[in-house]
Amino acid sequence: MSRLIRGGRVVTATDAFAADVLIEGESIVAVGTGLQGDEEIDASGCLVLPGLVDNHTHLSMPFGGTWSCEDYTTGTASAAAGGTTCIVDFIIQYVGGSLKDAREEWQGRADGAAHIDYGFHMAITDARPDVVAEMGECVEQGITSFKVFMAYKGALMVDDEQFLAVLEQTGKTGGLVMVHCENGDAVVRYQKEALEAGNTDPKWHAWSRPPAVEGEATGRAIRLAEWTKRPLFVVHVTCEDAVREIRAARDRGLPIFGETCIQYLYLTVDDLDRPGFEGAKYVCSPPLREARHQEVLYQALRQGALQGISTDHCPFNFKGQKELGLGDFTKIPNGLPAIEHRLTLLYDRSVRAGHMSIVDVVRHGSWGPARIFGLDRKGAIAPGFDADVVVFDPEVKHTISAATHVMDVDYDPFEGWEVTGKPRFVLSRGETVFEDGEVVSEPGRGRYVKRSVFEPALP
Ligand code: URP
Ligand code: ZN
Ligand code: ZN
């Protein structure tokens, strides 16, 4: 059966133009005018975008003695409601454990649970020689990117020796290394200093992880990538200090890539200083920054120093989870819920506010991440691509609230924000997953996507 999305304005990573989109089965087969389909979806007055790709999510992630509170069913439903049709989630290796065990655990959670397609990155937290030797098997299975953390000392952090081993191994196996850049030793020192002075509130989280801590780690990570002649993807870039390092590296011709996340474009360090313990809702790492960094992030996106805007969706309930850090900010689980709001916020706060065009939204939120992370059939409205499509109504006004969001988390960091624009229909491989405000798909229809290798092994 064919479906025709009729009368909308198609947006790609380079253009926006009036056209219809013809879908046969799971794929887009034509974009143009004068097309006919068995069934029609009315897109008049709407933008027709490739489904967004979120290459940075943490569903059911163990963190600080608890777990992020959305699983593969609720998290992918929230994604679908917001116009995201493919995620790449992080498997986390346990210290002492193998990559195979971690892979099986995460695949077991995702199998039969997801509403939309998903892939995995592998986060390596204990890069022993036998673990590094397992990386080739990950690549063979389509897990073609590896993440290391330079922060979270005593939990997820690797030292530079381990980081180098992971980079070097991708020279043999192919694959892209991703890195969380904060100097974990400095963070521990500043955390102790704050607590010893009796400074226990959420706002001290940001104080203990200043921009310089992110900038130093970013520069160091780039050096290690340069020595090993490997490309590098810097996740969740928040500030001028880090952007400066990435831009300088790219000016030297190095293949350094990076992303920011919506929370760093729209929220600020002031949110951590909300009355009472409310600031805990805004604790993520690296932390939210002063507003002046937001223009630097926009510039970096415009100039190509950063290529993606993801969410780093890592939700924890306020009650019982964020509250673990009452009286000690270092115990607040790190992360924000954001997966549902990316497209609407990008449209409302970035496009309508004049920071970027809707074409830029597609380039940074869909096409760019799909190319970097080897999602060969995602990220474009073009024949041969998966029919992952968002019909987005750019006029509808609504208010973001935990009372109405799909995310399974008891607060919303954007609570009360009045916004314009919302997906009307979302299709995943030709099937409607979201329509008129409801997720209509069954969990389990989403498929694991084997990703191709963005950067091959060294000759
Ligand atoms: O605060 C965050 N970002 N939590 C998730 C883990 C990470 O560092 O990406
Ligand atoms: Zn991180
Ligand atoms: Zn993350």
Side-chain angles (χ1 to χ4, degrees):
M1 193 198 59
S2 62
R3 304 183 88 185
L4 187 70
I5 303 176
R6 188 186 284 286
R9 189 165 176 78
V10 171
V11 187
T12 71
T14 53
D15 286 304
F17 50 90
D20 304 331
V21 179
L22 184 62
I23 296 165
E24 284 280 0
E26 299 191 343
S27 305
I28 296 169
V29 292
V31 180
T33 52
L35 304 171
Q36 301 294 329
D38 299 328
E39 186 189 296
E40 289 200 0
I41 295 173
D42 178 16
S44 47
C46 290
L47 301 168
V48 179
L49 318 168
L52 296 201
V53 170
D54 198 339
N55 60 271
H56 192 151
T57 68
H58 300 278
L59 301 177
S60 299
M61 178 191 178
F63 192 102
T66 187
W67 292 74
S68 64
C69 65
E70 285 218 283
D71 61 19
Y72 282 87
T73 297
T74 66
T76 57
S78 315
T84 291
T85 51
C86 186
I87 62 167
V88 190
D89 196 64
F90 287 94
I91 299 174
I92 313 282
Q93 177 212 3
Y94 294 106
V95 173
S98 70
L99 301 188
K100 182 166 181 286
D101 286 350
R103 216 166 53 217
E104 285 173 0
E105 182 179 328
W106 259 258
Q107 275 162 348
R109 273 201 281 276
D111 276 354
H115 287 266
I116 54 164
D117 293 349
Y118 58 93
F120 293 115
H121 313 284
M122 177 62 75
I124 300 183
T125 61
D126 178 11
R128 309 180 309 263
D130 57 309
V131 167
V132 169
E134 284 187 90
M135 288 168 58
E137 211 177 310
C138 293
V139 173
E140 279 160 28
Q141 299 211 357
I143 300 172
T144 54
S145 39
F146 300 92
K147 181 178 179 184
V148 294
F149 294 89
M150 297 170 85
Y152 306 126
K153 192 173 180 187
L156 305 170
M157 176 172 150
V158 297
D159 60 21
D160 289 355
E161 183 186 358
Q162 295 187 61
F163 188 178
L164 279 167
V166 170
L167 281 163
E168 276 167 8
Q169 187 69 2
T170 62
K172 298 179 191 146
T173 62
L176 181 62
V177 177
M178 307 165 77
V179 57
H180 172 132
C181 293
E182 288 182 293
N183 182 321
D185 287 306
V187 169
V188 167
R189 189 172 166 80
Y190 296 146
Q191 285 177 332
K192 279 188 190 149
E193 196 179 323
L195 291 178
E196 278 165 17
N199 297 322
T200 61
D201 292 343
K203 70 174 179 189
W204 295 93
H205 172 76
W207 181 88
S208 67
R209 314 174 89 104
V213 158
E214 183 181 339
E216 183 280 329
T218 307
R220 182 156 40 97
I222 289 169
R223 286 284 177 217
L224 303 191
E226 185 175 9
W227 294 344
T228 52
K229 298 188 170 50
R230 296 305 295 165
L232 185 70
F233 186 91
V234 183
V235 299
H236 49 41
V237 173
T238 72
C239 61
E240 184 176 13
D241 309 53
V243 166
R244 211 185 296 129
E245 299 290 343
I246 294 169
R247 191 178 283 138
R250 290 176 65 87
D251 286 349
R252 298 208 303 281
L254 298 177
I256 306 299
F257 306 92
E259 64 171 10
T260 189
C261 309
I262 55 169
Q263 50 273 37
Y264 301 115
L265 294 176
Y266 308 126
L267 302 171
T268 72
V269 66
D270 294 342
D271 289 301
L272 286 154
D273 200 15
R274 290 189 179 215
F277 193 59
E278 287 290 294
K281 294 177 176 175
Y282 298 90
V283 165
C284 58
S285 291
L288 301 173
R289 302 298 188 193
E290 288 171 13
R292 70 178 179 85
H293 292 280
Q294 294 174 348
E295 184 44 36
V296 176
L297 296 176
Y298 279 123
Q299 273 174 14
L301 289 161
R302 280 196 287 272
Q303 295 168 341
L306 298 178
Q307 298 77 34
I309 307 173
S310 70
T311 65
D312 194 5
H313 179 69
C314 190
F316 297 98
N317 284 311
F318 183 68
K319 288 261 159 251
Q321 291 195 298
K322 289 287 187 181
E323 282 178 347
L324 292 168
L326 269 166
D328 179 350
F329 70 88
T330 66
K331 297 200 165 60
I332 301 169
N334 288 195
L336 302 189
I339 202 165
E340 187 176 343
H341 300 318
R342 188 167 48 136
L343 179 53
T344 284
L345 288 175
L346 283 171
Y347 181 72
D348 185 73
R349 302 285 154 137
S350 295
V351 176
R352 278 166 42 92
H355 296 292
M356 64 175 72
S357 70
I358 190 69
V359 167
D360 296 327
V361 170
V362 169
R363 198 165 61 251
H364 302 315
S366 182
W367 185 86
R371 301 290 74 76
I372 290 177
F373 292 104
L375 296 159
D376 296 342
R377 289 178 58 88
K378 307 291 188 192
I381 303 272
F385 279 77
D386 281 348
D388 288 6
V389 184
V390 183
V391 177
F392 185 81
D393 183 337
E395 299 296 336
V396 63
K397 293 187 190 312
H398 56 113
T399 303
I400 294 176
S401 173
T404 49
H405 69 199
V406 174
M407 295 186 291
D408 188 20
V409 56
D410 67 0
Y411 77 98
D412 197 304
F414 306 99
E415 182 72 35
W417 286 31
E418 291 177 4
V419 288
T420 301
K422 196 177 184 356
R424 188 187 287 174
F425 298 100
V426 179
L427 274 60
S428 163
R429 282 182 283 100
E431 191 182 325
T432 304
V433 292
F434 178 82
E435 180 172 3
D436 292 334
E438 298 290 330
V439 175
V440 295
S441 51
E442 290 298 319
R445 64 158 301 286
R447 280 189 208 141
Y448 171 65
V449 185
K450 223 176 151 182
R451 295 183 293 117
S452 63
V453 178
F454 164 73
E455 182 70 20
L458 288 167

